[in-house]
Amino acid sequence: MTIKKTAQLVNKDILEDRLGFKQHSRSIIFLKANTLIFSPSAQNQYNWFDVRKPNLDFYLNTPSLKGFLIIRFFDAFLVAELDDFIKRMMPNDKFVFTKSIGPHWKFRIRKNGRSYSIYNQQNSAIFYPIKEYSANELEKLLQ
């Protein structure tokens, strides 16, 4: 199994087996009832992850869904409400375009002691504080 494939599997079992979410295709999208999760896995030395525009479009075109960003950051779960994160961190004019994956937003996670924040790599002046959750706390949040 490749390193990338292994990284994508980190804590995926918690989302699927314990919390009952189903992965949409091979994307970062997980669905259950009227809840949608963007759950990228950040398992790299640079602490980065990205969100592709087709994933954003899928969420925005399904307005009845409650959305969360749950980053699987090594053994931690970093959680934010998706609407607020999109509004503050994913401006239409601050994305990256590559031939291989198209338009997407690139983010980095910063850890300072016990707190975390995220910044958009295209505009590193804007930080977004994000809270760490345990699997038990996630279970309560997503019931």
Side-chain angles (χ1 to χ4, degrees):
M1 195 175 302
T2 66
I3 292 171
K4 181 179 179 185
K5 182 84 168 155
T6 303
Q8 292 171 347
L9 296 176
V10 171
N11 286 328
K12 184 178 169 188
D13 61 317
I14 302 290
L15 296 176
E16 293 180 327
D17 300 336
R18 184 167 174 181
L19 302 175
F21 282 82
K22 301 280 186 228
Q23 186 174 17
H24 176 71
S25 189
R26 294 182 345 189
S27 70
I28 63 168
I29 297 172
F30 291 79
L31 299 161
K32 180 174 114 178
N34 46 343
T35 304
L36 176 144
I37 295 171
F38 280 2
S39 186
S41 179
Q43 308 295 320
N44 55 72
Q45 68 185 23
Y46 304 108
N47 299 338
W48 70 267
F49 68 96
D50 62 27
V51 176
R52 297 176 183 186
K53 188 167 184 330
N55 294 327
L56 177 64
D57 292 343
F58 182 91
Y59 176 64
L60 295 177
N61 290 326
T62 317
S64 62
L65 296 175
K66 173 72 175 162
F68 293 93
L69 172 66
I70 301 176
I71 303 162
R72 291 171 284 134
F73 184 60
F74 297 100
D75 61 346
F77 294 100
L78 305 180
V79 180
E81 288 195 22
L82 192 51
D83 287 331
D84 188 50
F85 184 82
I86 290 168
K87 191 181 302 179
R88 291 180 48 195
M89 299 299 291
M90 297 175 68
N92 288 331
D93 62 341
K94 297 290 183 195
F95 62 85
V96 177
F97 181 88
T98 60
K99 279 186 173 184
S100 60
I101 62 174
H104 61 285
W105 291 264
K106 296 178 79 84
F107 302 98
R108 272 221 172 123
I109 300 165
R110 286 208 176 132
K111 184 175 181 182
N112 186 9
R114 295 185 56 97
S115 63
Y116 296 89
S117 58
I118 297 173
Y119 68 92
N120 182 318
Q121 290 187 13
Q122 287 13 87
N123 185 358
S124 61
I126 301 172
F127 285 84
Y128 189 92
I130 192 162
K131 186 176 184 235
E132 181 178 357
Y133 277 65
S134 68
N136 288 338
E137 291 170 322
L138 267 182
E139 204 167 20
K140 289 176 188 171
L141 176 70
L142 298 171
Q143 285 181 343

mmCIF file of all heavy atoms in Angstrom, residues 45-82:
data_model
loop_
_atom_site.group_PDB
_atom_site.id
_atom_site.type_symbol
_atom_site.label_atom_id
_atom_site.label_comp_id
_atom_site.label_asym_id
_atom_site.label_seq_id
_atom_site.Cartn_x
_atom_site.Cartn_y
_atom_site.Cartn_z
ATOM 1 N N GLN A 45 4.598 15.811 6.804
ATOM 2 C CA GLN A 45 5.506 16.630 7.626
ATOM 3 C C GLN A 45 5.234 18.121 7.515
ATOM 4 O O GLN A 45 5.674 18.896 8.357
ATOM 5 C CB GLN A 45 6.955 16.339 7.262
ATOM 6 C CG GLN A 45 7.355 16.799 5.871
ATOM 7 C CD GLN A 45 8.770 16.383 5.505
ATOM 8 O OE1 GLN A 45 9.306 15.443 6.059
ATOM 9 N NE2 GLN A 45 9.358 17.100 4.572
ATOM 10 N N TYR A 46 4.503 18.549 6.502
ATOM 11 C CA TYR A 46 4.209 19.974 6.320
ATOM 12 C C TYR A 46 2.849 20.370 6.883
ATOM 13 O O TYR A 46 2.469 21.532 6.823
ATOM 14 C CB TYR A 46 4.299 20.340 4.837
ATOM 15 C CG TYR A 46 5.633 19.984 4.243
ATOM 16 C CD1 TYR A 46 5.754 18.912 3.364
ATOM 17 C CD2 TYR A 46 6.776 20.692 4.588
ATOM 18 C CE1 TYR A 46 6.987 18.571 2.836
ATOM 19 C CE2 TYR A 46 8.019 20.356 4.068
ATOM 20 C CZ TYR A 46 8.113 19.287 3.189
ATOM 21 O OH TYR A 46 9.337 18.942 2.685
ATOM 22 N N ASN A 47 2.081 19.394 7.367
ATOM 23 C CA ASN A 47 0.764 19.638 7.971
ATOM 24 C C ASN A 47 -0.211 20.304 7.001
ATOM 25 O O ASN A 47 -0.968 21.184 7.379
ATOM 26 C CB ASN A 47 0.889 20.480 9.245
ATOM 27 C CG ASN A 47 1.728 19.801 10.297
ATOM 28 O OD1 ASN A 47 1.902 18.596 10.286
ATOM 29 N ND2 ASN A 47 2.266 20.585 11.205
ATOM 30 N N TRP A 48 -0.196 19.892 5.757
ATOM 31 C CA TRP A 48 -1.085 20.513 4.785
ATOM 32 C C TRP A 48 -2.179 19.551 4.347
ATOM 33 O O TRP A 48 -2.062 18.344 4.455
ATOM 34 C CB TRP A 48 -0.324 21.061 3.588
ATOM 35 C CG TRP A 48 0.257 20.012 2.674
ATOM 36 C CD1 TRP A 48 1.506 19.479 2.722
ATOM 37 C CD2 TRP A 48 -0.400 19.374 1.576
ATOM 38 N NE1 TRP A 48 1.656 18.555 1.737
ATOM 39 C CE2 TRP A 48 0.509 18.468 1.008
ATOM 40 C CE3 TRP A 48 -1.666 19.497 1.013
ATOM 41 C CZ2 TRP A 48 0.190 17.668 -0.096
ATOM 42 C CZ3 TRP A 48 -1.988 18.696 -0.090
ATOM 43 C CH2 TRP A 48 -1.055 17.809 -0.617
ATOM 44 N N PHE A 49 -3.270 20.155 3.845
ATOM 45 C CA PHE A 49 -4.365 19.422 3.216
ATOM 46 C C PHE A 49 -4.999 20.351 2.194
ATOM 47 O O PHE A 49 -4.738 21.553 2.178
ATOM 48 C CB PHE A 49 -5.393 18.931 4.247
ATOM 49 C CG PHE A 49 -6.185 20.021 4.904
ATOM 50 C CD1 PHE A 49 -7.437 20.383 4.433
ATOM 51 C CD2 PHE A 49 -5.680 20.688 6.017
ATOM 52 C CE1 PHE A 49 -8.166 21.393 5.046
ATOM 53 C CE2 PHE A 49 -6.403 21.685 6.645
ATOM 54 C CZ PHE A 49 -7.653 22.037 6.154
ATOM 55 N N ASP A 50 -5.799 19.790 1.315
ATOM 56 C CA ASP A 50 -6.499 20.636 0.349
ATOM 57 C C ASP A 50 -7.964 20.240 0.269
ATOM 58 O O ASP A 50 -8.371 19.178 0.720
ATOM 59 C CB ASP A 50 -5.834 20.613 -1.029
ATOM 60 C CG ASP A 50 -5.804 19.244 -1.691
ATOM 61 O OD1 ASP A 50 -6.677 18.403 -1.409
ATOM 62 O OD2 ASP A 50 -4.911 19.005 -2.511
ATOM 63 N N VAL A 51 -8.752 21.172 -0.275
ATOM 64 C CA VAL A 51 -10.166 20.948 -0.549
ATOM 65 C C VAL A 51 -10.390 21.314 -2.004
ATOM 66 O O VAL A 51 -10.110 22.442 -2.413
ATOM 67 C CB VAL A 51 -11.076 21.796 0.375
ATOM 68 C CG1 VAL A 51 -12.543 21.618 -0.014
ATOM 69 C CG2 VAL A 51 -10.848 21.441 1.837
ATOM 70 N N ARG A 52 -10.881 20.364 -2.760
ATOM 71 C CA ARG A 52 -11.109 20.577 -4.193
ATOM 72 C C ARG A 52 -12.467 21.220 -4.445
ATOM 73 O O ARG A 52 -13.430 20.993 -3.716
ATOM 74 C CB ARG A 52 -11.009 19.242 -4.928
ATOM 75 C CG ARG A 52 -9.632 18.650 -4.796
ATOM 76 C CD ARG A 52 -9.536 17.297 -5.433
ATOM 77 N NE ARG A 52 -8.200 16.771 -5.201
ATOM 78 C CZ ARG A 52 -7.758 15.650 -5.721
ATOM 79 N NH1 ARG A 52 -8.534 14.924 -6.508
ATOM 80 N NH2 ARG A 52 -6.533 15.244 -5.464
ATOM 81 N N LYS A 53 -12.519 22.026 -5.491
ATOM 82 C CA LYS A 53 -13.747 22.752 -5.827
ATOM 83 C C LYS A 53 -14.944 21.823 -6.072
ATOM 84 O O LYS A 53 -16.053 22.143 -5.624
ATOM 85 C CB LYS A 53 -13.518 23.674 -7.019
ATOM 86 C CG LYS A 53 -14.721 24.588 -7.276
ATOM 87 C CD LYS A 53 -14.404 25.679 -8.219
ATOM 88 C CE LYS A 53 -15.522 26.655 -8.444
ATOM 89 N NZ LYS A 53 -16.878 26.193 -8.324
ATOM 90 N N PRO A 54 -14.786 20.681 -6.744
ATOM 91 C CA PRO A 54 -15.957 19.797 -6.900
ATOM 92 C C PRO A 54 -16.562 19.348 -5.560
ATOM 93 O O PRO A 54 -17.781 19.194 -5.455
ATOM 94 C CB PRO A 54 -15.401 18.598 -7.681
ATOM 95 C CG PRO A 54 -14.243 19.158 -8.438
ATOM 96 C CD PRO A 54 -13.640 20.192 -7.521
ATOM 97 N N ASN A 55 -15.726 19.177 -4.538
ATOM 98 C CA ASN A 55 -16.256 18.839 -3.207
ATOM 99 C C ASN A 55 -17.062 20.005 -2.642
ATOM 100 O O ASN A 55 -18.153 19.822 -2.091
ATOM 101 C CB ASN A 55 -15.133 18.460 -2.246
ATOM 102 C CG ASN A 55 -14.443 17.185 -2.654
ATOM 103 O OD1 ASN A 55 -15.061 16.279 -3.200
ATOM 104 N ND2 ASN A 55 -13.154 17.111 -2.400
ATOM 105 N N LEU A 56 -16.525 21.216 -2.788
ATOM 106 C CA LEU A 56 -17.235 22.402 -2.336
ATOM 107 C C LEU A 56 -18.560 22.548 -3.085
ATOM 108 O O LEU A 56 -19.601 22.796 -2.476
ATOM 109 C CB LEU A 56 -16.372 23.651 -2.524
ATOM 110 C CG LEU A 56 -17.036 24.973 -2.161
ATOM 111 C CD1 LEU A 56 -17.377 25.027 -0.680
ATOM 112 C CD2 LEU A 56 -16.154 26.139 -2.551
ATOM 113 N N ASP A 57 -18.533 22.390 -4.393
ATOM 114 C CA ASP A 57 -19.752 22.500 -5.200
ATOM 115 C C ASP A 57 -20.802 21.478 -4.771
ATOM 116 O O ASP A 57 -21.997 21.796 -4.701
ATOM 117 C CB ASP A 57 -19.440 22.338 -6.679
ATOM 118 C CG ASP A 57 -18.627 23.498 -7.240
ATOM 119 O OD1 ASP A 57 -18.569 24.572 -6.598
ATOM 120 O OD2 ASP A 57 -18.029 23.321 -8.319
ATOM 121 N N PHE A 58 -20.376 20.263 -4.490
ATOM 122 C CA PHE A 58 -21.302 19.222 -4.033
ATOM 123 C C PHE A 58 -22.030 19.682 -2.773
ATOM 124 O O PHE A 58 -23.245 19.568 -2.661
ATOM 125 C CB PHE A 58 -20.533 17.920 -3.760
ATOM 126 C CG PHE A 58 -21.414 16.771 -3.334
ATOM 127 C CD1 PHE A 58 -21.936 15.901 -4.275
ATOM 128 C CD2 PHE A 58 -21.709 16.553 -1.991
ATOM 129 C CE1 PHE A 58 -22.748 14.837 -3.880
ATOM 130 C CE2 PHE A 58 -22.517 15.499 -1.592
ATOM 131 C CZ PHE A 58 -23.043 14.637 -2.544
ATOM 132 N N TYR A 59 -21.288 20.217 -1.818
ATOM 133 C CA TYR A 59 -21.887 20.702 -0.575
ATOM 134 C C TYR A 59 -22.810 21.897 -0.819
ATOM 135 O O TYR A 59 -23.939 21.931 -0.325
ATOM 136 C CB TYR A 59 -20.791 21.069 0.432
ATOM 137 C CG TYR A 59 -21.332 21.668 1.702
ATOM 138 C CD1 TYR A 59 -22.140 20.926 2.562
ATOM 139 C CD2 TYR A 59 -21.057 22.983 2.051
ATOM 140 C CE1 TYR A 59 -22.653 21.477 3.731
ATOM 141 C CE2 TYR A 59 -21.558 23.537 3.223
ATOM 142 C CZ TYR A 59 -22.356 22.780 4.047
ATOM 143 O OH TYR A 59 -22.862 23.327 5.201
ATOM 144 N N LEU A 60 -22.334 22.863 -1.578
ATOM 145 C CA LEU A 60 -23.125 24.077 -1.809
ATOM 146 C C LEU A 60 -24.395 23.797 -2.603
ATOM 147 O O LEU A 60 -25.380 24.527 -2.476
ATOM 148 C CB LEU A 60 -22.275 25.132 -2.511
ATOM 149 C CG LEU A 60 -21.087 25.663 -1.702
ATOM 150 C CD1 LEU A 60 -20.278 26.645 -2.533
ATOM 151 C CD2 LEU A 60 -21.539 26.290 -0.388
ATOM 152 N N ASN A 61 -24.397 22.757 -3.410
ATOM 153 C CA ASN A 61 -25.573 22.403 -4.205
ATOM 154 C C ASN A 61 -26.542 21.491 -3.465
ATOM 155 O O ASN A 61 -27.529 21.040 -4.037
ATOM 156 C CB ASN A 61 -25.148 21.767 -5.527
ATOM 157 C CG ASN A 61 -24.497 22.787 -6.441
ATOM 158 O OD1 ASN A 61 -24.868 23.955 -6.451
ATOM 159 N ND2 ASN A 61 -23.503 22.355 -7.194
ATOM 160 N N THR A 62 -26.251 21.217 -2.197
ATOM 161 C CA THR A 62 -27.131 20.409 -1.362
ATOM 162 C C THR A 62 -27.371 21.162 -0.056
ATOM 163 O O THR A 62 -26.870 20.792 0.999
ATOM 164 C CB THR A 62 -26.482 19.026 -1.080
ATOM 165 O OG1 THR A 62 -25.900 18.531 -2.274
ATOM 166 C CG2 THR A 62 -27.509 18.033 -0.578
ATOM 167 N N PRO A 63 -28.144 22.257 -0.105
ATOM 168 C CA PRO A 63 -28.249 23.167 1.039
ATOM 169 C C PRO A 63 -28.920 22.591 2.286
ATOM 170 O O PRO A 63 -28.804 23.157 3.356
ATOM 171 C CB PRO A 63 -29.051 24.342 0.485
ATOM 172 C CG PRO A 63 -29.784 23.791 -0.676
ATOM 173 C CD PRO A 63 -28.948 22.682 -1.231
ATOM 174 N N SER A 64 -29.609 21.475 2.179
ATOM 175 C CA SER A 64 -30.292 20.942 3.361
ATOM 176 C C SER A 64 -29.345 20.167 4.289
ATOM 177 O O SER A 64 -29.750 19.723 5.356
ATOM 178 C CB SER A 64 -31.439 20.022 2.927
ATOM 179 O OG SER A 64 -30.924 18.921 2.212
ATOM 180 N N LEU A 65 -28.092 20.022 3.898
ATOM 181 C CA LEU A 65 -27.141 19.269 4.708
ATOM 182 C C LEU A 65 -26.441 20.163 5.734
ATOM 183 O O LEU A 65 -26.053 21.284 5.433
ATOM 184 C CB LEU A 65 -26.078 18.618 3.818
ATOM 185 C CG LEU A 65 -26.567 17.565 2.832
ATOM 186 C CD1 LEU A 65 -25.424 17.095 1.945
ATOM 187 C CD2 LEU A 65 -27.198 16.394 3.556
ATOM 188 N N LYS A 66 -26.278 19.660 6.946
ATOM 189 C CA LYS A 66 -25.457 20.310 7.968
ATOM 190 C C LYS A 66 -24.029 19.868 7.693
ATOM 191 O O LYS A 66 -23.749 18.681 7.532
ATOM 192 C CB LYS A 66 -25.922 19.859 9.356
ATOM 193 C CG LYS A 66 -25.057 20.323 10.487
ATOM 194 C CD LYS A 66 -25.209 21.799 10.731
ATOM 195 C CE LYS A 66 -24.408 22.193 11.961
ATOM 196 N NZ LYS A 66 -24.163 23.590 12.028
ATOM 197 N N GLY A 67 -23.099 20.824 7.631
ATOM 198 C CA GLY A 67 -21.736 20.487 7.243
ATOM 199 C C GLY A 67 -20.698 20.694 8.328
ATOM 200 O O GLY A 67 -20.790 21.647 9.110
ATOM 201 N N PHE A 68 -19.712 19.799 8.359
ATOM 202 C CA PHE A 68 -18.581 19.898 9.266
ATOM 203 C C PHE A 68 -17.294 19.635 8.509
ATOM 204 O O PHE A 68 -17.271 18.855 7.550
ATOM 205 C CB PHE A 68 -18.683 18.868 10.406
ATOM 206 C CG PHE A 68 -19.805 19.112 11.347
ATOM 207 C CD1 PHE A 68 -21.033 18.500 11.156
ATOM 208 C CD2 PHE A 68 -19.644 19.968 12.429
ATOM 209 C CE1 PHE A 68 -22.085 18.728 12.025
ATOM 210 C CE2 PHE A 68 -20.697 20.203 13.303
ATOM 211 C CZ PHE A 68 -21.913 19.581 13.094
ATOM 212 N N LEU A 69 -16.249 20.281 8.942
ATOM 213 C CA LEU A 69 -14.897 19.967 8.506
ATOM 214 C C LEU A 69 -14.275 19.173 9.647
ATOM 215 O O LEU A 69 -14.232 19.658 10.786
ATOM 216 C CB LEU A 69 -14.093 21.247 8.257
ATOM 217 C CG LEU A 69 -12.599 21.056 7.973
ATOM 218 C CD1 LEU A 69 -12.379 20.332 6.654
ATOM 219 C CD2 LEU A 69 -11.897 22.409 7.968
ATOM 220 N N ILE A 70 -13.862 17.953 9.365
ATOM 221 C CA ILE A 70 -13.198 17.121 10.372
ATOM 222 C C ILE A 70 -11.885 16.648 9.760
ATOM 223 O O ILE A 70 -11.863 15.739 8.926
ATOM 224 C CB ILE A 70 -14.057 15.922 10.801
ATOM 225 C CG1 ILE A 70 -15.386 16.408 11.377
ATOM 226 C CG2 ILE A 70 -13.289 15.056 11.804
ATOM 227 C CD1 ILE A 70 -16.348 15.295 11.755
ATOM 228 N N ILE A 71 -10.815 17.308 10.173
ATOM 229 C CA ILE A 71 -9.494 16.965 9.644
ATOM 230 C C ILE A 71 -8.924 15.840 10.488
ATOM 231 O O ILE A 71 -8.857 15.944 11.716
ATOM 232 C CB ILE A 71 -8.555 18.178 9.677
ATOM 233 C CG1 ILE A 71 -9.170 19.340 8.902
ATOM 234 C CG2 ILE A 71 -7.181 17.811 9.117
ATOM 235 C CD1 ILE A 71 -8.566 20.674 9.221
ATOM 236 N N ARG A 72 -8.528 14.772 9.824
ATOM 237 C CA ARG A 72 -7.870 13.663 10.512
ATOM 238 C C ARG A 72 -6.375 13.991 10.521
ATOM 239 O O ARG A 72 -5.650 13.709 9.588
ATOM 240 C CB ARG A 72 -8.187 12.349 9.812
ATOM 241 C CG ARG A 72 -9.660 11.975 9.984
ATOM 242 C CD ARG A 72 -10.110 10.815 9.156
ATOM 243 N NE ARG A 72 -10.267 11.234 7.769
ATOM 244 C CZ ARG A 72 -9.803 10.555 6.724
ATOM 245 N NH1 ARG A 72 -9.167 9.427 6.878
ATOM 246 N NH2 ARG A 72 -9.998 11.001 5.510
ATOM 247 N N PHE A 73 -5.974 14.666 11.581
ATOM 248 C CA PHE A 73 -4.613 15.197 11.715
ATOM 249 C C PHE A 73 -3.814 14.270 12.634
ATOM 250 O O PHE A 73 -3.936 14.339 13.850
ATOM 251 C CB PHE A 73 -4.665 16.616 12.275
ATOM 252 C CG PHE A 73 -3.336 17.299 12.376
ATOM 253 C CD1 PHE A 73 -2.552 17.509 11.252
ATOM 254 C CD2 PHE A 73 -2.874 17.741 13.596
ATOM 255 C CE1 PHE A 73 -1.332 18.151 11.350
ATOM 256 C CE2 PHE A 73 -1.653 18.383 13.703
ATOM 257 C CZ PHE A 73 -0.878 18.582 12.574
ATOM 258 N N PHE A 74 -3.044 13.389 12.018
ATOM 259 C CA PHE A 74 -2.352 12.325 12.731
ATOM 260 C C PHE A 74 -3.375 11.587 13.590
ATOM 261 O O PHE A 74 -4.345 11.090 13.045
ATOM 262 C CB PHE A 74 -1.133 12.859 13.481
ATOM 263 C CG PHE A 74 -0.110 13.426 12.518
ATOM 264 C CD1 PHE A 74 -0.010 14.796 12.303
ATOM 265 C CD2 PHE A 74 0.713 12.580 11.789
ATOM 266 C CE1 PHE A 74 0.903 15.312 11.394
ATOM 267 C CE2 PHE A 74 1.630 13.085 10.866
ATOM 268 C CZ PHE A 74 1.729 14.444 10.674
ATOM 269 N N ASP A 75 -3.244 11.558 14.897
ATOM 270 C CA ASP A 75 -4.217 10.820 15.702
ATOM 271 C C ASP A 75 -5.311 11.728 16.275
ATOM 272 O O ASP A 75 -6.140 11.292 17.072
ATOM 273 C CB ASP A 75 -3.524 10.051 16.825
ATOM 274 C CG ASP A 75 -2.773 10.964 17.784
ATOM 275 O OD1 ASP A 75 -2.557 12.142 17.449
ATOM 276 O OD2 ASP A 75 -2.394 10.490 18.873
ATOM 277 N N ALA A 76 -5.348 12.994 15.857
ATOM 278 C CA ALA A 76 -6.337 13.950 16.364
ATOM 279 C C ALA A 76 -7.440 14.196 15.326
ATOM 280 O O ALA A 76 -7.240 13.986 14.129
ATOM 281 C CB ALA A 76 -5.656 15.279 16.702
ATOM 282 N N PHE A 77 -8.585 14.641 15.817
ATOM 283 C CA PHE A 77 -9.673 15.111 14.961
ATOM 284 C C PHE A 77 -9.810 16.610 15.200
ATOM 285 O O PHE A 77 -10.082 17.039 16.323
ATOM 286 C CB PHE A 77 -10.997 14.427 15.317
ATOM 287 C CG PHE A 77 -11.034 12.961 15.039
ATOM 288 C CD1 PHE A 77 -10.840 12.044 16.071
ATOM 289 C CD2 PHE A 77 -11.264 12.490 13.762
ATOM 290 C CE1 PHE A 77 -10.884 10.683 15.828
ATOM 291 C CE2 PHE A 77 -11.307 11.127 13.504
ATOM 292 C CZ PHE A 77 -11.112 10.224 14.547
ATOM 293 N N LEU A 78 -9.640 17.410 14.155
ATOM 294 C CA LEU A 78 -9.803 18.863 14.253
ATOM 295 C C LEU A 78 -11.123 19.213 13.579
ATOM 296 O O LEU A 78 -11.343 18.857 12.421
ATOM 297 C CB LEU A 78 -8.633 19.576 13.589
ATOM 298 C CG LEU A 78 -7.243 19.169 14.104
ATOM 299 C CD1 LEU A 78 -6.158 19.949 13.380
ATOM 300 C CD2 LEU A 78 -7.136 19.342 15.603
ATOM 301 N N VAL A 79 -11.993 19.930 14.301
ATOM 302 C CA VAL A 79 -13.383 20.089 13.862
ATOM 303 C C VAL A 79 -13.784 21.557 13.771
ATOM 304 O O VAL A 79 -13.476 22.350 14.660
ATOM 305 C CB VAL A 79 -14.340 19.355 14.843
ATOM 306 C CG1 VAL A 79 -15.783 19.513 14.409
ATOM 307 C CG2 VAL A 79 -13.962 17.887 14.951
ATOM 308 N N ALA A 80 -14.508 21.879 12.693
ATOM 309 C CA ALA A 80 -15.092 23.207 12.505
ATOM 310 C C ALA A 80 -16.426 23.055 11.787
ATOM 311 O O ALA A 80 -16.656 22.067 11.079
ATOM 312 C CB ALA A 80 -14.170 24.091 11.674
ATOM 313 N N GLU A 81 -17.291 24.048 11.970
ATOM 314 C CA GLU A 81 -18.526 24.082 11.180
ATOM 315 C C GLU A 81 -18.140 24.475 9.764
ATOM 316 O O GLU A 81 -17.415 25.448 9.548
ATOM 317 C CB GLU A 81 -19.529 25.050 11.782
ATOM 318 C CG GLU A 81 -20.125 24.522 13.061
ATOM 319 C CD GLU A 81 -21.360 25.288 13.483
ATOM 320 O OE1 GLU A 81 -22.009 25.946 12.628
ATOM 321 O OE2 GLU A 81 -21.675 25.213 14.680
ATOM 322 N N LEU A 82 -18.638 23.733 8.802
ATOM 323 C CA LEU A 82 -18.198 23.895 7.421
ATOM 324 C C LEU A 82 -18.601 25.242 6.821
ATOM 325 O O LEU A 82 -17.803 25.879 6.146
ATOM 326 C CB LEU A 82 -18.721 22.733 6.577
ATOM 327 C CG LEU A 82 -18.136 22.574 5.185
ATOM 328 C CD1 LEU A 82 -16.612 22.574 5.191
ATOM 329 C CD2 LEU A 82 -18.655 21.303 4.547
#
